[in-house]
Amino acid sequence: MTRKIIAILRGIETSEATYAAGAILDAGILRVEVTLDSPGALDSIKTMRGQLAGRGEIGAGTVLSERDVELAAEAGAAFIVSPDCNQAVIRRTKELGLSSYPGVFTATECFNALRCGADGLKMFPASLLGYDGMSAIRTVLGPGPDMYAVGGANHEQFSEWLASGADGFGIGSALYKPGWSADQVAQRASLIVKAYDEAKNAR
């Protein structure tokens, strides 16, 4: 099963990067995002790509500028996630052949992002958008673009989010916190994968 889950590693140190990402990939989550506000984020991306090549996709998050996109691409990022709908960031991401997941909240932002070439939409913060908001935006967007519930969407609510029109999830602190061991990350990743699979199979 291809799971539409992006693991968000915020605050990770380069020394933790490989074992944390390895535990996540082993559990079956195949997209791992390192936020650029983490210490040594570009080194972490480069290290993960070098040691975990072929096992999944490593990307960059909290990407705020075209220069950030370029640096992330040089480090080996395969996808770019932003907290906002920055059209210049989306366009530069696509020019460099990377996948784009901009942060959006309104229908206007969603359509603007898609017109610029976004591959999927980071619905953020999902906790404020809510199930009704997600459902309303899904209605106007139609069945095509993937919508990822991010920010307040946890494994206990996967079924409700999927029923509201979400396709996937970005999971941060529920999956990783700075200093967690590989066993802790693996345990959380397995729990999230189990909940996702159960929610998808129930549909």
Side-chain angles (χ1 to χ4, degrees):
M1 175 185 292
T2 301
R3 298 177 181 91
K4 294 181 179 180
I5 305 175
I6 298 175
I8 303 167
L9 303 183
R10 184 178 300 280
I12 194 166
E13 300 275 355
T14 303
S15 59
E16 302 174 310
T18 301
Y19 78 69
I24 290 166
L25 293 170
D26 285 344
I29 299 173
L30 302 184
R31 288 195 185 112
V32 180
E33 165 196 339
V34 179
T35 64
L36 291 189
D37 56 358
S38 303
L42 296 173
D43 287 336
S44 293
I45 293 170
K46 189 178 298 183
T47 298
M48 290 178 183
R49 276 298 304 271
Q51 297 187 23
L52 302 170
R55 295 180 57 191
E57 292 186 354
I58 308 300
T62 317
V63 177
L64 303 176
S65 69
E66 293 174 82
R67 183 56 180 156
D68 285 345
V69 176
E70 293 162 359
L71 291 172
E74 290 170 8
F79 63 89
I80 298 294
V81 183
S82 300
D84 64 338
C85 182
N86 185 323
Q87 296 183 28
V89 165
I90 299 168
R91 291 193 178 100
R92 188 60 179 143
T93 298
K94 299 311 298 176
E95 286 171 358
L96 294 176
L98 310 181
S99 299
S100 171
Y101 299 91
V104 294
F105 191 76
T106 66
T108 297
E109 289 179 328
C110 290
F111 281 110
N112 283 340
L114 293 170
R115 290 184 188 110
C116 292
D119 296 279
L121 301 170
K122 171 185 173 179
M123 309 305 296
F124 177 82
S127 58
L128 293 182
L129 184 63
Y131 305 137
D132 289 345
M134 183 73 75
S135 179
I137 290 178
R138 171 53 77 197
T139 298
V140 298
L141 287 183
D146 284 342
M147 299 197 304
Y148 287 74
V150 183
N154 63 54
H155 67 280
E156 295 175 347
Q157 306 155 342
F158 280 173
S159 293
E160 289 84 352
W161 284 112
L162 292 172
S164 299
D167 300 285
F169 304 91
I171 307 294
S173 59
L175 177 57
Y176 167 81
K177 291 181 181 177
W180 277 12
S181 68
D183 286 343
Q184 286 175 297
V185 177
Q187 183 179 31
R188 298 300 297 181
S190 294
L191 177 66
I192 288 163
V193 164
K194 182 176 183 289
Y196 178 90
D197 288 353
E198 289 176 349
K200 289 290 287 186
N201 290 334
R203 291 184 57 75

